[in-house]
Amino acid sequence: MKHIVITAGGTVEKIDEVRQITNTSTGKLARLICKEVLDYLGDEDFTVHYIMSKRAVKPEVVQSKMMIYPVSDTQSVIDAIDKVYSQHKIDYFIHSMAVSDFTTSYTAPVSILAKEISNLIQDNPVEELEEKIQEILTSPYCALPRGAKISSREDIVLGLKRTPKVISYIKDRDPETFLVGFKLLNGVSEERLKEVACKLGKDNDCNLVLANDMCNINNEKHEAILLKDGCIVERFHTKDEIAKGIVMRMLGENK
Amino acid sequence: MKHIVITAGGTVEKIDEVRQITNTSTGKLARLICKEVLDYLGDEDFTVHYIMSKRAVKPEVVQSKMMIYPVSDTQSVIDAIDKVYSQHKIDYFIHSMAVSDFTTSYTAPVSILAKEISNLIQDNPVEELEEKIQEILTSPYCALPRGAKISSREDIVLGLKRTPKVISYIKDRDPETFLVGFKLLNGVSEERLKEVACKLGKDNDCNLVLANDMCNINNEKHEAILLKDGCIVERFHTKDEIAKGIVMRMLGENK
């Protein structure tokens, strides 16, 4: 039995109970890829594990060969991947989700943070100040309690710390998983896009990388290049083409 | 001809091309209120001006007596209100939208921001440092260019500045508009909720204020109190009750 994981949509990182950092990703491409996988494998014995953010568009049909894993923030995506890998041998992993690079580490009012930093100056030798200031900006004492709704009386500073790179986990869990990575940039040359996408592929041992630029995506078209071992193997112009192309290459060549 | 404005959903403030700060508001209550207004006024001569965020749930029926104004960030809400007031005499304004209290003013890598602050120390007298640091934290020279996609190589600081209070504009535009304000808090006593909601009502000259607490809202129930001149005039337990209650009191008493 084949097991395919597809991740869809964009993660949501909480700032407080009502505010959050979201990603503009809609999950539409993942939905199309899912449909292509279902069509391609047809009556075969397989399961699609669909890890989707709550805001992503829902798959067209949810049938018995699909399992849905709703997720919210980056940690919940990692937890879902852990769950899937602990229960199944995963053959294919299409990681089209836009996972947040950052999560909220603190919020602090500007004036109180300025006071905390200026107090530091009296107590520390000049040569250590830069490092000490960096520590405060990373994790200040004056941070507001987590979960409290932020007051709007003052300008605030929001500290964002990097999240773990989800894509780097996949091959660690199973080097035999066929991994499709995605790279989205904004307003770069194709050369630059290819370079960054190749690095993603190399660093994470991707079998394929789909690279695209926000400037070349709108309601009508979705330009993208597909990379394998650092070379462009296909060019696409619509989401449909991308979905078909990835699935054909992934399942067609790797039965 | 009556003109009614309803604001719905939550605003979205851009961080960069793919990241944004959103609000969890769905616009469901506004949709119900809209439906009640349409039902109540029936064949009368009126227009509902529906100012809604793109992520808000759409009104059940969009008919000829409704005009839709899609908005995104706080500034676009203000622009939409300006437009409506410049063209019509607004009789009723139901401001149920969750408008962001903050918008992004800058993003800066933690290490570079720390360097900028520590450089300051050599050039300025100690007694002015706190103020100078506050200036940097409000608007640093090292801020990343606006619109650039933020690199994920470093922890970053996001500066958030307060947005103008949309609700305070309404009576400035027309003191005769019947204004319904909304106050949502999280995990407070009813006494505290009433106090904060009364202040909102007083500061902005609201005719009615609907006050609720996130802890008392779930899929089944939506507890809320309706305040008039600082007193509780009604209690509600569901979104339906809230929508009916507000519309009855607003249109019933003010024909």
Side-chain angles (χ1 to χ4, degrees), chain B residues 93-109:
Chain B
F93 198 113
I94 303 170
H95 187 41
S96 59
M97 175 176 252
V99 178
S100 178
D101 296 315
F102 300 100
T103 189
T104 311
S105 60
Y106 69 89
T107 48

Side-chain angles (χ1 to χ4, degrees), chain A residues 19 21 25 50 62-63 66 80 85 103-105 114 124 143-144 151-152 158 160 163 168 171 180 185 189 210 229 249:
Chain A
R19 301 176 180 93
I21 297 178
S25 174
Y50 203 76
V62 179
Q63 43 131 295
M66 281 185 72
Y85 269 95
T103 188
T104 311
S105 62
N124 286 279
L144 298 169
S151 157
S152 57
L158 189 60
L160 298 179
T163 51
S168 70
K171 291 277 176 150
V180 185
L185 291 179
S189 65
L210 194 282
D229 303 327
R249 200 163 278 269

Side-chain angles (χ1 to χ4, degrees), chain B:
Chain B
M1 183 175 182
K2 283 194 179 82
H3 288 278
I4 302 109
V5 175
I6 301 174
T7 63
T11 52
V12 170
E13 302 290 334
K14 262 171 104 163
I15 299 174
D16 66 7
E17 286 307 314
V18 295
R19 301 178 180 92
Q20 52 197 20
I21 298 178
T22 57
N23 186 291
T24 52
S25 173
T26 57
K28 282 180 193 165
L29 184 55
R31 177 167 68 174
L32 283 173
I33 292 171
C34 181
K35 186 176 171 295
E36 289 299 326
V37 169
L38 296 176
D39 286 355
Y40 191 95
L41 293 179
D43 293 335
E44 281 189 49
D45 191 18
F46 71 96
T47 300
V48 172
H49 304 269
Y50 203 75
I51 299 176
M52 65 179 281
S53 68
K54 286 165 197 145
R55 296 181 52 224
V57 293
K58 304 224 166 6
E60 281 185 23
V61 208
V62 179
Q63 43 129 298
S64 57
K65 289 181 174 175
M66 279 183 75
M67 284 186 66
I68 305 282
Y69 303 72
V71 291
S72 50
D73 62 2
T74 305
Q75 188 54 51
S76 69
V77 178
I78 294 172
D79 294 345
I81 293 173
D82 278 345
K83 190 179 168 192
V84 171
Y85 268 95
S86 68
Q87 294 172 345
H88 308 285
K89 164 95 181 153
I90 303 300
D91 302 291
Y92 303 97
F93 198 113
I94 303 170
H95 187 41
S96 59
M97 175 176 252
V99 178
S100 178
D101 296 315
F102 300 100
T103 189
T104 311
S105 60
Y106 69 89
T107 48
V110 165
S111 63
I112 299 173
L113 187 58
K115 198 177 193 72
E116 183 173 335
I117 295 172
S118 88
N119 284 345
L120 177 95
I121 290 157
Q122 293 146 32
D123 309 334
N124 286 279
V126 177
E127 62 276 16
E128 290 175 15
L129 277 178
E130 192 178 320
E131 196 188 324
K132 294 281 177 192
I133 295 170
Q134 193 166 335
E135 277 171 27
I136 292 185
L137 290 176
T138 305
S139 177
Y141 287 105
C142 66
L144 298 169
R146 272 200 94 80
K149 190 178 170 197
I150 299 161
S151 157
S152 57
R153 278 192 294 271
E154 263 210 89
D155 290 351
I156 60 169
V157 162
L158 188 61
L160 299 179
K161 65 177 177 199
R162 282 158 297 170
T163 50
K165 294 280 182 197
V166 169
I167 193 169
S168 70
Y169 286 165
I170 315 302
K171 291 278 176 150
D172 285 349
R173 296 297 309 236
D174 185 352
E176 290 182 358
T177 300
F178 186 98
L179 174 60
V180 186
F182 286 72
K183 191 76 210 176
L184 176 65
L185 293 178
N186 184 30
V188 299
S189 65
E190 183 178 292
E191 195 181 356
R192 175 71 186 148
L193 177 63
K194 190 183 157 193
E195 190 186 335
V196 176
C198 283
K199 187 172 181 323
L200 175 88
K202 208 169 171 187
D203 290 350
N204 302 289
D205 196 12
C206 296
N207 300 78
L208 293 170
V209 178
L210 194 282
N212 44 183
D213 189 306
M214 289 191 55
C215 295
N216 298 320
I217 303 172
N218 59 36
N219 283 337
E220 278 87 50
K221 68 168 185 181
H222 191 143
E223 307 276 350
I225 50 178
L226 189 65
L227 298 161
K228 189 181 171 180
D229 303 327
C231 299
I232 299 176
V233 290
E234 237 175 307
R235 286 178 184 278
F236 306 114
H237 309 283
T238 65
K239 283 188 176 50
D240 263 324
E241 283 180 23
I242 295 171
K244 281 196 173 69
I246 288 175
V247 172
M248 281 301 292
R249 200 164 279 268
M250 182 180 87
L251 295 175
E253 293 180 6
N254 297 278
K255 281 192 182 177

Side-chain angles (χ1 to χ4, degrees), chain A:
Chain A
M1 182 176 183
K2 282 195 181 79
H3 288 278
I4 301 109
V5 175
I6 301 173
T7 62
T11 53
V12 170
E13 303 290 334
K14 261 171 104 161
I15 299 174
D16 67 5
E17 286 307 314
V18 295
R19 301 176 180 93
Q20 51 198 21
I21 297 178
T22 57
N23 188 292
T24 52
S25 174
T26 58
K28 282 179 192 165
L29 183 55
R31 178 168 68 174
L32 283 174
I33 293 171
C34 180
K35 186 176 171 294
E36 288 300 326
V37 168
L38 296 176
D39 286 355
Y40 191 97
L41 293 179
D43 293 337
E44 282 190 47
D45 191 18
F46 71 96
T47 300
V48 172
H49 304 270
Y50 203 76
I51 298 176
M52 65 179 281
S53 66
K54 286 165 200 147
R55 295 182 52 224
V57 293
K58 305 223 163 10
E60 281 184 23
V61 209
V62 179
Q63 43 131 295
S64 58
K65 288 179 175 177
M66 281 185 72
M67 283 186 67
I68 305 282
Y69 304 71
V71 292
S72 51
D73 62 2
T74 305
Q75 189 54 50
S76 70
V77 178
I78 294 172
D79 294 344
I81 293 172
D82 278 345
K83 191 179 168 192
V84 172
Y85 269 95
S86 68
Q87 293 171 347
H88 309 285
K89 166 94 179 148
I90 303 300
D91 302 290
Y92 303 97
F93 198 111
I94 302 169
H95 186 42
S96 59
M97 175 176 251
V99 178
S100 178
D101 296 316
F102 299 99
T103 188
T104 311
S105 62
Y106 69 88
T107 47
V110 165
S111 62
I112 300 173
L113 187 58
K115 197 177 194 69
E116 183 173 335
I117 295 172
S118 88
N119 284 344
L120 177 95
I121 289 156
Q122 294 146 31
D123 308 337
N124 286 279
V126 175
E127 62 275 15
E128 290 175 18
L129 276 180
E130 191 177 322
E131 195 188 324
K132 293 282 176 191
I133 294 170
Q134 194 166 335
E135 278 172 26
I136 291 184
L137 290 176
T138 305
S139 178
Y141 286 106
C142 66
L144 298 169
R146 272 198 96 78
K149 190 177 171 197
I150 299 162
S151 157
S152 57
R153 277 192 294 271
E154 262 211 89
D155 289 351
I156 60 169
V157 160
L158 189 60
L160 298 179
K161 63 177 178 198
R162 282 158 297 170
T163 51
K165 294 279 183 198
V166 168
I167 193 169
S168 70
Y169 285 165
I170 315 300
K171 291 277 176 150
D172 286 348
R173 295 297 308 237
D174 185 351
E176 293 181 357
T177 300
F178 187 99
L179 174 60
V180 185
F182 287 72
K183 192 77 207 176
L184 176 65
L185 291 179
N186 184 30
V188 299
S189 65
E190 183 177 292
E191 195 182 356
R192 175 68 186 150
L193 177 63
K194 190 183 158 193
E195 189 187 333
V196 176
C198 283
K199 187 172 182 318
L200 176 88
K202 207 169 172 189
D203 290 350
N204 302 290
D205 197 12
C206 295
N207 300 78
L208 294 171
V209 178
L210 194 282
N212 45 184
D213 188 306
M214 288 190 56
C215 294
N216 299 318
I217 303 172
N218 58 37
N219 283 338
E220 279 86 48
K221 67 169 185 180
H222 190 144
E223 307 277 351
I225 50 178
L226 190 64
L227 299 161
K228 188 179 171 180
D229 303 327
C231 299
I232 299 175
V233 290
E234 236 174 307
R235 286 178 185 277
F236 307 115
H237 309 283
T238 64
K239 282 189 175 52
D240 262 323
E241 284 180 25
I242 296 171
K244 281 195 173 67
I246 288 175
V247 172
M248 281 300 291
R249 200 163 278 269
M250 180 180 88
L251 296 175
E253 294 179 5
N254 297 279
K255 280 190 182 179

